[in-house]
Amino acid sequence: RRVHGLIVKAAHADSATEAAAAITERVPGIVLREAHSAYMRFQVPRENLPKLSYLFGLLEEVRQRGVIDDYSVSQTTLDEIFCNFAQQADEPLAMPITSAV
């Protein structure tokens, strides 16, 4: 399944929450994968990807409001897919705890 990536740099660390909200509210299915200070990395599954003109228009609107400084849109690389699998493998599985009596 093809996924598109979106990297956003908020104008400053304090506006990162506002930037994330502006994007996630208007792009259904988008997932925030990473957030470090003012940088955020989102993923949009192909079936939820809006027209690129809509996405770029939204990002420009948010940039013009001074909430974000920069952004980029790209297809997810094989390296990113591998890192996501590795990260999921490191997450502990939720297992019910039973006591032996």
Side-chain angles (χ1 to χ4, degrees):
R1 172 166 92 163
R2 224 180 238 169
V3 181
H4 283 71
L6 170 63
I7 297 175
V8 175
K9 181 185 179 287
H12 44 82
D14 294 341
S15 66
T17 302
E18 182 182 353
I23 295 167
T24 57
E25 289 172 0
R26 296 186 46 198
V27 181
I30 195 165
V31 177
L32 178 61
R33 289 288 180 198
E34 292 180 55
H36 302 284
S37 187
Y39 288 90
M40 294 164 283
R41 185 174 64 86
F42 297 89
Q43 284 187 329
V44 186
R46 184 181 188 141
E47 61 271 8
N48 293 337
L49 185 68
K51 289 188 176 199
L52 290 178
S53 60
Y54 172 81
L55 190 57
F56 281 110
L58 167 64
L59 294 167
E60 270 303 304
E61 174 189 313
V62 176
R63 189 184 67 77
Q64 289 177 1
R65 289 191 341 230
V67 178
I68 63 175
D69 279 341
D70 198 18
Y71 59 86
S72 68
V73 177
S74 64
Q75 288 186 343
T76 302
T77 65
L78 288 176
D79 186 48
E80 290 171 321
I81 293 169
F82 176 77
C83 288
N84 284 339
F85 282 131
Q87 184 179 21
Q88 290 173 359
D90 287 342
E91 294 174 2
L93 296 175
M95 298 185 72
I97 299 174
T98 58
S99 61
V101 180

